[in-house]
Structure formats: structure tokens, C-alpha cells
Amino acid sequence: MESTFRTDLDYWRTHDIRALPDPFRARLSELEGLDVFRVSETDPAGAIRLIHDSLRNAAEVAVVSPVHFPDLGQTLREVCEDRPGRLLVTEAVVDEVRRHDDGDVPIPENLTVRVADVSFALAVADGTTFLSLPRLDGSYDPSTELVADSDTAVRFGNDLFEWVWRDATPVGDVAPTRPL
């Protein structure tokens, strides 16, 4: 665990690991080869682009998003035209999507969407785990991303996704949906 925290002490001092379910806090050391990706002032969308590029190349995707990223929806529509994907969002994200799409939530046929109360973001795609913890004040941090591509890190990411997925509510129970 100490080696995980030593990767970037500033990150761990300012981000809240309590956002993760208890068993996964104890497993943080499984994020072997962890890097903290930080966006630059001249490229504030760098982390989002990094994740979207990985999603586009993945055979299958699993994403947790506590905030609304319109470009994520477009990327998942492209990816899930011919590949399976799962997306877990918060009710606030569903409300935001509904606000922009006349009350419906458009969903590609190969994308399964569920809703849960989460404050961390996660993407597991093509052998890489991307994890974004909230800041200590609870706010979302779009400027940093934990990135790890070891086998244990991918297992951690997949297990974390399955943990939150299993108790999540199908989006159709929360909002009207329509296939794309």
C-alpha cells in the first residue's frame, strides 16, 4: 500500500479513498504500475481524451461516471455499435441527459446502463484501469486520473466495477429510455 501512495503523495493527500467500497480501499496496492496522469493548463481535456481513445480501441468496456460528459455518450454510442459495453451513472447524470434529450435517455443496443450513487469514476478498457477519486471536499476532479495497466490493476478495476454494478438499478426503472 505504501508503494501505491508513494507514486504521488500530493494526489493521495488531496483525494478521498473513502469514495471506494471498504474492500477496495484495502486492495489499492493491486494498482501495480500506477501512474497519476495530470492534465496540463494547455490541454485541460487530456485525461478525457486518454480515456476515450482507450474506449474506442477496446473489445468491451465498463465505465462508471458520476458526472455528465456529453462526449462520453458519443464515444459509447460509437463503441457500442458493434461491441458490448456497460455504463453505470448517477441519477444526477440521468437527469442531465434527460434535460438535453427531451426527457428520454438514448441508449445504443449493445450498451447496458444502470444507476447507482457513486462518487468515483472508473473505466476498464483493453487492459487498462482508469480510476478518478473525488477531492477531499467531495468535488469531482477532471484534471487527474489514476492509470494502471498491470493484470492485477485490471482485475481490481473489473472487480470494483462488478461490485457497484451488482446492486445498481437498471436505467429504465429510473428514466424512460429509447434505443438508438
Side-chain angles (χ1 to χ4, degrees):
M1 188 76 81
E2 287 178 24
S3 65
T4 300
F5 292 146
R6 272 185 272 158
T7 58
D8 190 321
L9 291 174
D10 288 337
Y11 179 87
W12 297 106
R13 284 185 190 126
T14 58
H15 290 77
D16 195 354
I17 65 170
R18 294 172 301 171
L20 297 173
D22 289 340
F24 293 91
R25 284 184 239 156
R27 291 179 57 186
L28 279 172
S29 62
E30 294 177 28
L31 294 174
E32 292 175 0
L34 173 75
D35 286 315
V36 178
F37 179 86
R38 294 183 188 281
V39 300
S40 68
E41 288 183 22
T42 57
D43 187 14
I48 294 167
R49 189 174 47 261
L50 176 71
I51 294 166
H52 287 230
D53 289 347
S54 278
L55 293 174
R56 284 185 181 99
N57 296 320
E60 188 174 334
V61 297
V63 176
V64 174
S65 183
V67 295
H68 179 244
F69 291 108
D71 290 343
L72 175 61
Q74 180 58 38
T75 298
L76 289 174
R77 282 190 282 281
E78 293 168 13
V79 168
C80 294
E81 282 182 14
D82 59 357
R83 290 167 273 177
R86 293 184 294 165
L87 172 65
L88 188 140
V89 295
T90 62
E91 282 195 48
V93 170
V94 172
D95 291 344
E96 193 65 26
V97 171
R98 288 170 62 185
R99 192 169 71 81
H100 292 286
D101 288 308
D102 299 324
D104 284 339
V105 178
I107 299 175
E109 187 175 313
N110 291 327
L111 181 65
T112 305
V113 181
R114 291 188 182 176
V115 178
D117 184 23
V118 294
S119 59
F120 63 88
L122 173 73
V124 183
D126 242 16
T128 303
T129 293
F130 301 91
L131 177 63
S132 181
L133 297 173
R135 293 181 183 107
L136 290 174
D137 67 3
S139 64
Y140 182 77
D141 178 8
S143 64
T144 60
E145 195 73 34
L146 300 174
V147 181
D149 58 6
S150 67
D151 290 344
T152 59
V154 172
R155 189 171 29 260
F156 173 94
N158 283 325
D159 290 352
L160 177 56
F161 183 85
E162 294 300 332
W163 182 276
V164 295
W165 183 258
R166 74 169 185 229
D167 293 327
T169 304
V171 71
D173 293 352
V174 175
T177 62
R178 64 179 158 88
L180 288 179

